[in-house]
Every structure is written in C-alpha cells, then in structure tokens.
Amino acid sequence: MMVIGLDCAAPQLVFDRYRDAMPNLSALMDRGTWGNLRSSEPPITVPAWTCMVSGRDAGELGLYGFRNRVAGETRLRLAGGGDVRVKRVWDWLGEHGYRVAPLFVPLTSPPTPVHGQMVSGFMWPGGDAPWCFPRGLETEIADRFGPYRADVENFRANDLDRIYQDIVMMTEQHLDIAEHLWKEKQPDFMMLVEIGVDRFHHAFWRHIDPDHPRHEAGNRWKHLGREYYRLLDTRIGRLCALGDDDTTVLVVSDHGARAMHGGFCINEWLVRKGYLVLREPPGAVSPLDHGVVDWKRTKAWAEGGYYARVFLNVAGREPNGAIQPTEVLTYRDRLRDELNNAKDDEGNRVPTSVRVPEEHYRQARGFPPDLMVYFDDLKLRAIGSIGGGRIIVTENDTGPDSCNHDWDGIFVMSGGGTLGRGRVEGAEIYDVTPTILGAFGVPRPPDILGRDWGSGLGASETDP
Ligand SMILES: [Zn+2]
C-alpha cells in the first residue's frame, strides 16, 4: 500500500478546479472511492496527521496545535515527535511483520525505530539532528538526492518566486526519495506526506483564488496553482506506476484550505472585556508580551492561530493565577457566552464556535486550553497580537498569508482489490488507520476511532 499525503490539499481544487490538470489522480478516482475527508479538531497539521495515523483525537494525544503548554509556564512550547505517546499505524503493521516506510510525516522528528525505514517530517531542526531510521539511510539519500529539504524556509514572505522554486525543489526531492525507497527497500506499506502543498497555499492562495477578496486578476502567479497541482499529479502517476495490481493507493490530506478574509484579535478583545490587563499598552502591533501582562489582575489570555486558545489564569495552575479553582467554571461559562456574542468594530455579531475540550474530546490530556474558539467558520484567523486598536483586521500577524485551513481535506482510494464506489460522503480523518489495518488484515486496536472503509462506508454513498 502507498499512502500519498498532500498536506492541505483542498477538495475544491483537486476534485474540481484542477481536476483536468490531474489525469493520474482522476484515473484513481474513476476506478476508486473518493470524497471529502473531515479533519480533526482543530484542523491543523499538528495534530491532524497524528490523529490520522493513530485513530486518536487531539485531546487524547494532548496536542492542540503546533505549540502546547507545559506545567508551570504560560508560554507555549513547540511539539516534537517525543510528544507522541501512542502507537501509530506503522507500529502495528510492523508488529505483524510488515515492512513499513513512513516518510516526511509530521511529528516523526526525531525518527523512531520501525520495521523498515523512516524519514523525519518538516519539523526536523536541521544540522546534525537525526532524520532517518536507520541513520545509515541519511548518507544513502543525501548522496543521491543532495542535502535533505525538510521544509521551505520563510514561506510567509514576499519573495514569491524564490518560495515557489523552493517548494518545487522540495517536492521533487521528496518524491525522488519515495520512489527510491519503494524500489530499493520494497516496503509493504509506504506513507509519504508532502508539506509543499500547504506551503504553496499559504504563499499563493490569494493569487490563485479568484474569489479571494484581495485577488488581482491577471497577476503573474495566477497560473502556478494549475502548474503545481500538475506537478503533483505527474509525480503521483510515476509513483503509482511502480506498484502493481495488488497495490492499494490512498491519497489523503489532513485538512483543506480556504481564502482567509482576515483575523479576529482575540487578545485585543480580552483587554476590552477586562479579562486581560497589561501593565503598559504596546506602542505598536506586537505579539502579546507575557512580561508586560499584569498577571495579578488578568483573568484570561489567548493564543492565536487558525483558532483561538483561551486560557484562564488560575491560582495553583498558572504561575501568578488570579482566579480561584472554584471560580473556573463560572468564568469559563461567562467567557463562552460572551464569545458566542462577540462583535466586530462596527458592533456586528461575529459568528463563533466555542468548544470546551473536556466536553468535546474523549479525553483532554496534556495542557488543554479552557476554551477553543473558531471565528466565522475559519474564514477569520485568531490574531494573538495586540496594539492595533481593532478587533477585526484584514492581514495575518505572522507574515503574509491569504489561506486559512478548512474542515474538509480529501481522500482517494484505488487499486489492490478495493471496491470502486465513486464519490462517498461522511469520511473522517479517523477512518484512515482502521482502513489501512483492515487492508492488511491486522486486528483493529479496541480503543481507536474511525471506520474501516473496506467493510463499507455505509448508506450515504452516491454514484460517481
Ligand atoms: Zn496540514
């Protein structure tokens, strides 16, 4: 089985706008089963891929985004492979004797021993840090394909020609490595994740999407969407050609993408509501400086990103907690109500979805936020910076970016005796692990989420 992960690949592009530029993927769709793949909560690369390959939700994983809290600190810490404390699909397959090759999957840095080979994903720190299991594979790959390109540097920037060149070189290298390993190591299960798709969307979305509010017709990058998706398709075709009739191909993405219309300045909002108190106001728009927060008078603060994570400042839990543990539920529910009625600068309601991790997940491990907030169904990002004087802004605060993640990614499954059902509805990211295990005849662990598509996607299927 080959699992080809396209980070952030969006259904409206793959299934619709660029389908004619993707004859190989289109052929897989014609023969196979495909549709939207509902992402994790939150729909973010970390934790989404780990949810996909473990059958666990983000709460069970204790991973609420790229960065997470640790005890005794208010600041977040970048997640790493060491934060994954559950087995992933390749571990179970390896235990049953199958040779596996997870390549470039997020949260595989540092690499861990597998029954086969592993190449770390895009959060590899570089330098002398290990990026392959076994380590001898590093020289084998670098000798053939040059220094490892784990990611595109500084992809939220304005030098778009450089960014595109870097994305293409990285994508080509990753697919070269995958082809090489498939041929040389003959894994039973290979899974690669191409992060270039995500980088491409963040850098180029407003240029390729005519519906983006800041799209300029006839811009010089407009054609790159079709060009890049064509490149992906060519490489998918080359990879598939290495398989045979018994090879199941599964193309998946961890979430989709949509135009970003702006952001909701969550900390600015918390200041105005009196929950967040600063000892001095910032002179210019800047990230929330925890050093100037008046913690003794602060009830709540937030971290921005695709969604807002709101934290209460609780005595005994936070270093300078200002509310008592007995008051947590009162403050949380009051904040939830106020966020459900949040208004923009003109006094209009901003649609929000507010979640309580303990209510939403099967478990809320690690250091969950007290509230998770999505703004306008992901049309708006959560802006953590402060000092702009506005609640709604049009630009991202961490560099040029015109793309937000969206709830639905994609899946296309074909070959290897899988049934061709055409387009189906209702598939979820958690279904991927039980489906892979089912295809290999490996018993499904009792406590994971998801359904095995091999045993039927149910009554909602439609004709292609
Ligand atoms: Zn992603």
Side-chain angles (χ1 to χ4, degrees):
M1 177 182 273
M2 287 179 188
V3 179
I4 303 171
L6 305 176
D7 195 296
C8 199
Q12 70 272 35
L13 302 188
V14 175
F15 298 153
D16 189 8
R17 199 188 312 165
Y18 299 144
R19 183 164 176 180
D20 61 334
M22 305 190 80
N24 292 302
L25 192 71
S26 204
L28 294 175
M29 289 161 64
D30 288 342
R31 293 194 302 271
T33 304
W34 56 280
N36 290 15
L37 187 69
R38 175 81 181 186
S39 186
S40 56
E41 292 249 5
I44 303 177
T45 307
V46 174
W49 286 107
T50 311
C51 293
M52 186 193 292
V53 296
S54 72
R56 312 275 178 185
D57 67 36
E60 293 176 280
L61 298 171
L63 296 169
Y64 304 94
F66 273 84
R67 298 179 306 140
N68 291 276
R69 283 190 68 188
V70 292
E73 291 176 27
T74 55
R75 289 185 177 83
L76 307 185
R77 190 175 59 82
L78 196 66
D83 294 315
V84 181
R85 297 183 180 88
V86 298
K87 286 185 183 175
R88 289 175 279 191
V89 65
W90 50 79
D91 297 316
W92 289 306
L93 293 174
E95 286 169 8
H96 283 77
Y98 292 110
R99 289 161 307 189
V100 299
L103 312 177
F104 333 122
V105 183
L107 291 187
T108 55
S109 175
T112 48
V114 291
H115 186 52
Q117 296 78 33
M118 177 186 279
V119 180
S120 289
F122 71 101
M123 291 162 85
W124 174 59
D128 293 334
W131 53 279
C132 284
F133 174 87
R135 285 211 74 172
L137 187 60
E138 293 172 7
T139 325
E140 182 182 329
I141 290 175
D143 284 352
R144 277 183 177 76
F145 308 111
Y148 176 44
R149 297 171 174 272
D151 199 355
V152 170
E153 280 181 28
N154 199 14
F155 63 91
R156 287 189 176 104
N158 289 313
D159 52 342
L160 291 177
D161 294 329
R162 186 272 306 169
I163 293 172
Y164 185 66
Q165 194 176 23
D166 285 356
I167 291 170
V168 168
M169 287 174 74
M170 175 177 72
T171 299
E172 299 268 26
Q173 186 198 50
H174 288 174
L175 272 297
D176 286 344
I177 294 170
E179 286 182 15
H180 170 75
L181 293 180
W182 181 267
K183 285 186 282 194
E184 297 298 318
K185 315 297 178 188
Q186 302 191 343
D188 301 299
F189 170 83
M190 183 172 83
M191 173 175 185
L192 68 100
V193 172
E194 179 46 48
I195 193 69
V197 194
D198 179 87
R199 292 352 186 184
F200 178 81
H201 288 169
H202 287 299
F204 290 96
W205 194 270
R206 80 180 170 98
H207 302 295
I208 63 166
D209 178 5
D211 298 327
H212 191 282
R214 289 184 289 126
H215 179 77
E216 288 170 27
N219 74 78
R220 55 186 287 233
W221 299 285
K222 193 167 186 261
H223 65 288
L224 287 184
R226 186 169 297 273
E227 183 178 302
Y228 183 64
Y229 272 78
R230 190 186 307 265
L231 163 71
L232 293 171
D233 185 72
T234 301
R235 299 305 307 243
I236 290 169
R238 272 175 59 173
L239 206 50
C240 291
L242 299 177
D244 57 27
D245 289 346
D246 293 331
T247 309
T248 302
V249 177
L250 179 56
V251 182
V252 284
S253 66
D254 55 337
H255 49 76
R258 59 169 302 160
M260 179 190 140
H261 286 243
F264 184 98
C265 298
I266 180 66
N267 280 323
E268 195 80 41
W269 184 88
L270 287 168
V271 167
R272 290 193 197 177
K273 291 283 178 184
Y275 290 102
L276 172 58
V277 183
L278 305 179
R279 284 191 276 105
E280 54 193 78
V285 179
S286 53
L288 179 66
D289 179 354
H290 288 211
V292 303
V293 173
D294 185 346
W295 291 105
K296 292 209 157 45
R297 295 162 62 207
T298 286
K299 307 286 195 295
W301 82 101
E303 291 287 338
Y306 296 105
Y307 77 117
R309 285 184 269 181
V310 179
F311 295 100
L312 297 174
N313 188 27
V314 184
R317 193 184 76 176
E318 272 68 33
N320 296 292
I323 68 174
Q324 293 306 309
T326 50
E327 302 174 300
V328 165
L329 292 185
T330 309
Y331 274 103
R332 190 191 73 187
D333 291 345
R334 186 188 303 169
L335 250 175
R336 172 157 49 175
D337 286 347
E338 291 184 39
L339 283 162
N340 277 324
N341 291 290
K343 307 240 177 15
D344 66 14
D345 301 279
E346 282 72 46
N348 303 310
R349 274 280 301 281
V350 178
T352 54
S353 309
V354 189
R355 311 231 198 288
V356 174
E358 287 78 6
E359 295 171 0
H360 187 76
Y361 296 119
R362 297 202 295 181
Q363 284 180 284
R365 288 187 174 141
F367 207 137
D370 292 289
L371 292 171
M372 305 166 65
V373 193
Y374 301 97
F375 296 98
D376 208 353
D377 202 26
L378 295 168
K379 199 165 152 185
L380 300 174
R381 197 170 290 193
I383 304 289
S385 293
I386 208 151
R390 287 187 63 81
I391 297 298
I392 302 292
V393 294
T394 54
E395 300 275 350
N396 181 44
D397 61 338
T398 54
D401 193 340
S402 52
C403 165
N404 240 17
H405 289 181
D406 206 351
W407 290 111
D408 280 352
I410 62 152
F411 86 96
V412 178
M413 184 165 73
S414 185
T418 58
L419 294 173
R421 294 193 177 96
R423 184 167 202 157
V424 297
E425 310 285 342
E428 295 189 330
I429 200 165
Y430 305 106
D431 301 340
V432 172
T433 283
T435 298
I436 293 169
L437 293 175
F440 281 93
V442 170
R444 154 203 188 112
D447 51 350
I448 64 168
L449 293 162
R451 298 169 300 167
D452 175 1
W453 298 333
S455 48
L457 260 176
S460 60
E461 63 193 62
T462 53
D463 291 322

